[in-house]
Amino acid sequence: MAVSDRKNIRRLAIALLTGAAVCALMSSAVVVHAQEDTQLRSLEPNLPAETKLLLAANELVYDKDSQRITATGAVQINYGGYQMVAQQVVYDQATGRVTASGNIELVEPTGNRIYADTLDVTDNFAEGFVKTLRIETSDNTRLAAESGERVNDTDMILHKGVYTACLPCADNPDRPPLWQVKAERVIQNGKKHTVRLEKARFELFGHTLAVLPFIEVPDHTVKRKSGFLFPQMRFSENLGFGLTVPYYFAISNQRDATVKATGFTSQGVLIEAEIRQRFEKGQASLHFAGIDQMNSDKFSAGTSDSNRDLRGMVGSKGAFQINPRWSFGWDVMFQSDNNFAKTYKLEGFGEDTHTNQVYLTGRGKRNSFDMRGYYFDVQDADTENTAEKKQPTVIPTVDYAYYAPEPIAGGQLSGNMNFTSLARFKSDFVDVDTNGDGVTDLVRYRGLEGASTRLSGELEWKRTFSVPGGLQLTPLLAARGDAYGLDMDSPTGYAGDYTSESFETRHMMTAGLEARYPILFSTTNSSHIVEPIAQIYARNDEQLAGMLPNEDAQSFVFDATNLFERDKFSGYDRVEGGTRANVGIRYTGSFDNGIGLRGIFGQSYHLAGLNSFATDDLVNAGANSGLETDVSDYVGMAGIDLPNGISLATNVRLDEESWDLQRTDASMSYSNDRFQTSLIYSQIAAQPEYGFTEANDELSTSSSIKVSEYWTAFGSLAWDLDESALNSRSVGISYADECMVFTFAYTDEFDPENETASDWSIGARLTFRTLGDINLGTDQL
């Protein structure tokens, strides 16, 4: 074939492929996400000039006189990853038109498939016509139209278009899909980059749910465009039914905003606005919300929800990466009262306690730095805001950790530093009746009004030696110092001694030795490791024990997880002193059939000096912990994992004399393809000196079961065994297939001491793949 003939055939192929592929651009036309980020596709296949063309047909005729090329019978074209078949293809050079007919099918390199009965397109792609168009994309979306045409070199029009992301029913392909969008005309404007759907109908299960005269949305080439987003719905006890209509503003490439108006049947209109700004090294946002409540008396009387009509909030978040090692950011909120954001479930600000913070962090290969300031916004219904006033304002806390890059005396040297400065506007104390006779026996001061500053630094060196026979010995040396600056109210009624000095110091010197002897033994179908462990730490007594404020070491639980910790206190304000030994055994086993076993059991012994856990402090940390006696309670942990999906685990503390249960945490879980469940039991014996005069037993469970291929039921429950009462419950169902997800949930919380607007709530979410979500409250349990 002559060179000019090859050029004509090549031009014919490009025209055919482009004429069919341009119709595929409409496959995303009805996707109505205003912020859809789809890569711009060229109308003409972007192929190198040297790309080879393969064309096959039963007959190929080139008529030079009429300047027409005709391929007839089982025409196949392969060009640059595009594959096309048709019964007949004709290219008329005189008129510049290309026509194809007979079961046209085009497969794009992306996997998209385009089907048509006939195709007629000009060779400059300015105009064209296709009949009986059908498009199947690689992500299982489908578009069909009776006909399509391209006009003015910029616009594409489909007549009687139908779009869906649902697969056809295998048993009954003629049945309507689960959902589909129909339109009399779908017009893609190449200049405005918009898609206009005229007489659009949304159908669910073959029934029309919504009809719009027209809707115009951005086409697939637009990354961001102003417009309405999917509405959201919610429902709660004292707010009533709420419908949210959001509008998205694409202000610039770096800035956008969302404005929401939510109408509540009981409380009126809530207005929200969020502005977002991207920078070269980070992003920031500003959030506003406000409402003038119509029926504040629907809330419980005497609560912050009912005490004012005009309520509002402003919040901001930011995160910046200064360089690969350093970053800073913030998350702050200011509101008219202490419960507004929680009551109206403002996204990102509706937690029980919103932690306002500003931070600066750095990470190196062998060191780290973290500086943060905190303000805790307690969102409850208390008009006096008492709980929030009792929380400390931390300005700031600084943590630094360092690991020496080279061994020192053959061991690892590490250090850490903590600086904390905080202030509190109101003392936080609890009267405790340890005997149950109605008389206050002691007072626990969880925080004192005033300000305190502490600087703590510690160095630790340790090295492990392997002794012949398998014994491993790890000697340890540590030194720590603390300096306090105090300007706090004295704790009235405190039974112990409290320092009256404004400046105090203390130190702790530690020398320790740990011995481990791992023993491995195997059978024909299992392997086991038994590891006896013994530790001894010699230290000076804890200085000023119980005479300093305790802010960060109040939470203390003695169990198997911290049996072998050098300092078992949870923070810096208390430090474990005296000479102590920890003894126990650790076991790990595995079987060829998939069964796994694990366990720890041991005890701790106070050998000399002052027992820090038997020393009172402002919150009685250590009291009733099991470590306050010279011989501690026994602690143990055991777990088993079975190949059938069952896992069992328990953590116990047993009285060292009577072996009575003092604390139990037990859990069971099971999981397979259809059913998942977990059961957690918590038991804590009475700790009168710690403020808990009665035992606490609670049982909680959560489960989900796949009822059928698409339907799942789920629920959760928390039961107070001592009071024989529910603490919370929830139940829900969900449906999920290849094109739609539906979730419905009901949640009920029982807290008579903290009445809020959402004692119970209903949430639902309906997600149509490629279209978006319709929300009713929250579907999370």
Side-chain angles (χ1 to χ4, degrees), residues 242-306:
L243 176 65
T244 302
V245 179
Y247 190 88
Y248 175 76
F249 290 93
I251 302 172
S252 69
N253 290 335
Q254 297 80 32
R255 184 182 302 148
D256 59 15
T258 304
V259 177
K260 299 179 182 179
T262 303
F264 290 101
T265 55
S266 296
Q267 298 301 338
V269 179
L270 172 72
I271 300 297
E272 292 182 76
E274 183 178 15
I275 303 172
R276 297 168 291 269
Q277 174 76 51
R278 285 189 177 273
F279 301 89
E280 182 180 356
K281 293 185 178 293
Q283 59 186 5
S285 65
L286 191 61
H287 196 120
F288 302 91
I291 189 174
D292 188 1
Q293 295 182 155
M294 295 189 310
N295 298 295
S296 299
D297 55 354
K298 278 189 170 290
F299 298 104
S300 301
T303 64
S304 56
D305 292 311
S306 65

Side-chain angles (χ1 to χ4, degrees), residues 383-690:
T383 57
E384 300 298 324
N385 216 7
T386 304
E388 185 171 314
K389 293 177 182 177
K390 292 179 178 180
Q391 298 299 313
T393 300
V394 184
I395 45 174
T397 177
V398 180
D399 286 286
Y400 179 77
Y402 172 79
Y403 293 87
E406 300 294 337
I408 296 178
Q412 174 67 62
L413 179 68
S414 62
N416 63 76
M417 183 274 293
N418 174 267
F419 174 81
T420 300
S421 179
L422 58 84
R424 183 179 278 101
F425 301 107
K426 187 179 181 64
S427 292
D428 182 9
F429 62 89
V430 178
D431 294 331
V432 179
D433 173 16
T434 60
N435 299 318
D437 56 6
V439 178
T440 298
D441 300 303
L442 57 90
V443 180
R444 296 182 68 244
Y445 278 88
R446 297 180 294 194
L448 298 175
E449 182 177 345
S452 70
T453 301
R454 176 183 43 75
L455 176 64
S456 301
E458 184 175 50
L459 288 174
E460 180 187 78
W461 175 89
K462 61 181 178 181
R463 180 180 179 182
T464 299
F465 297 89
S466 294
V467 179
L471 179 65
Q472 292 185 326
L473 298 176
T474 303
L476 175 146
L477 297 173
R480 169 177 163 172
D482 303 275
Y484 278 85
L486 303 173
D487 184 16
M488 309 185 87
D489 292 350
S490 297
T492 304
Y494 176 49
D497 294 328
Y498 183 78
T499 180
S500 59
E501 301 295 328
S502 59
F503 181 78
E504 292 282 10
T505 61
R506 68 182 180 186
H507 68 273
M508 180 63 65
M509 307 298 292
T510 304
L513 179 65
E514 177 184 83
R516 297 171 181 262
Y517 191 73
I519 303 170
L520 171 65
F521 60 93
S522 302
T523 67
T524 56
N525 60 358
S526 65
S527 62
H528 309 267
I529 299 176
V530 177
E531 188 178 24
I533 303 172
Q535 300 172 326
I536 186 168
Y537 297 109
R539 297 168 289 214
N540 57 282
D541 292 343
E542 180 186 7
Q543 298 172 327
L544 300 171
M547 300 175 63
L548 297 169
N550 181 359
E551 295 283 351
D552 67 355
Q554 298 184 11
S555 175
F556 178 73
V557 175
F558 174 49
D559 58 23
T561 62
N562 58 17
L563 170 63
F564 299 112
E565 292 290 333
R566 172 166 62 89
D567 188 343
K568 297 179 177 60
F569 282 113
S570 58
Y572 286 94
D573 284 335
R574 292 297 305 269
V575 55
E576 185 178 342
T579 300
R580 178 172 291 276
N582 304 310
V583 178
I585 188 169
R586 177 182 292 156
Y587 164 77
T588 304
S590 61
F591 295 80
D592 292 346
N593 60 5
I595 296 177
L597 301 174
R598 60 193 182 278
I600 297 175
F601 189 80
Q603 198 173 26
S604 183
Y605 303 89
H606 176 71
L607 303 179
L610 178 69
N611 187 347
S612 295
F613 302 103
T615 304
D616 294 335
D617 70 0
L618 292 175
V619 293
N620 284 327
N624 311 122
S625 66
L627 287 167
E628 70 275 14
T629 55
D630 289 343
V631 179
S632 78
D633 288 345
Y634 296 99
V635 291
M637 183 275 290
I640 179 172
D641 299 312
L642 302 179
N644 61 1
I646 296 177
S647 292
L648 301 171
T650 185
N651 210 324
V652 300
R653 177 164 67 89
L654 306 171
D655 184 87
E656 57 97 7
E657 293 182 349
S658 65
W659 288 69
D660 291 338
L661 279 173
Q662 300 299 305
R663 186 183 182 98
T664 307
D665 297 299
S667 65
M668 183 277 291
S669 64
Y670 173 73
S671 176
N672 62 20
D673 294 339
R674 295 181 58 88
F675 181 62
Q676 295 180 350
T677 186
S678 65
L679 183 66
I680 300 175
Y681 169 70
S682 298
Q683 175 266 329
I684 304 175
Q687 298 176 284
E689 294 181 48
Y690 204 61

Side-chain angles (χ1 to χ4, degrees), residues 79-324:
Y79 185 60
Y82 291 82
Q83 303 176 40
M84 180 176 176
V85 298
Q87 291 299 315
Q88 186 181 64
V89 175
V90 178
Y91 176 33
D92 191 332
Q93 288 181 279
T95 61
R97 302 196 73 85
V98 180
T99 59
S101 59
N103 298 324
I104 302 170
E105 180 180 354
L106 171 69
V107 180
E108 296 183 309
T110 59
N112 295 341
R113 293 178 177 269
I114 299 105
Y115 304 90
D117 285 348
T118 61
L119 173 68
D120 185 347
V121 63
T122 58
D123 60 2
N124 64 355
F125 322 121
E127 296 181 351
F129 181 83
V130 64
K131 185 177 181 182
T132 315
L133 172 68
R134 182 164 55 92
I135 301 169
E136 298 178 359
T137 67
S138 57
D139 64 346
N140 288 327
T141 62
R142 284 162 169 72
L143 174 68
E146 287 189 0
S147 61
E149 56 183 315
R150 180 168 170 78
V151 297
N152 301 326
D153 197 21
T154 58
D155 298 346
M156 186 72 186
I157 303 174
L158 296 184
H159 300 276
K160 296 189 180 300
V162 180
Y163 172 82
T164 186
C166 301
L167 295 174
C169 177
D171 298 330
N172 186 8
D174 295 329
R175 190 173 68 185
L178 195 63
W179 64 264
Q180 60 186 355
V181 178
K182 293 183 176 180
E184 288 295 316
R185 289 208 313 169
V186 181
I187 305 170
Q188 183 183 35
N189 190 311
K191 292 182 178 179
K192 296 181 179 179
H193 297 287
T194 60
V195 175
R196 179 184 174 93
L197 288 78
E198 297 181 347
K199 297 183 180 179
R201 303 196 317 273
F202 180 82
E203 294 185 356
L204 186 65
F205 298 107
H207 300 283
T208 301
L209 292 186
V211 179
L212 292 174
F214 72 91
I215 181 172
E216 191 169 274
V217 298
D219 70 10
H220 67 286
T221 68
V222 177
K223 293 183 178 180
R224 301 184 309 145
K225 189 176 180 65
S226 300
F228 286 99
L229 304 179
F230 259 91
Q232 300 174 350
M233 292 172 285
R234 64 178 83 175
F235 189 79
S236 63
E237 182 179 4
N238 295 327
L239 303 180
F241 175 77
L243 176 65
T244 302
V245 179
Y247 190 88
Y248 175 76
F249 290 93
I251 302 172
S252 69
N253 290 335
Q254 297 80 32
R255 184 182 302 148
D256 59 15
T258 304
V259 177
K260 299 179 182 179
T262 303
F264 290 101
T265 55
S266 296
Q267 298 301 338
V269 179
L270 172 72
I271 300 297
E272 292 182 76
E274 183 178 15
I275 303 172
R276 297 168 291 269
Q277 174 76 51
R278 285 189 177 273
F279 301 89
E280 182 180 356
K281 293 185 178 293
Q283 59 186 5
S285 65
L286 191 61
H287 196 120
F288 302 91
I291 189 174
D292 188 1
Q293 295 182 155
M294 295 189 310
N295 298 295
S296 299
D297 55 354
K298 278 189 170 290
F299 298 104
S300 301
T303 64
S304 56
D305 292 311
S306 65
N307 269 20
R308 66 168 66 214
D309 296 332
L310 192 61
R311 308 175 72 185
M313 181 278 295
V314 58
S316 179
K317 296 184 180 183
F320 292 84
Q321 191 73 34
I322 304 172
N323 57 40

Side-chain angles (χ1 to χ4, degrees), residues 67-80:
Q67 295 182 306
R68 178 176 294 185
I69 302 172
T70 303
T72 306
V75 181
Q76 299 182 38
I77 298 175
N78 291 273
Y79 185 60

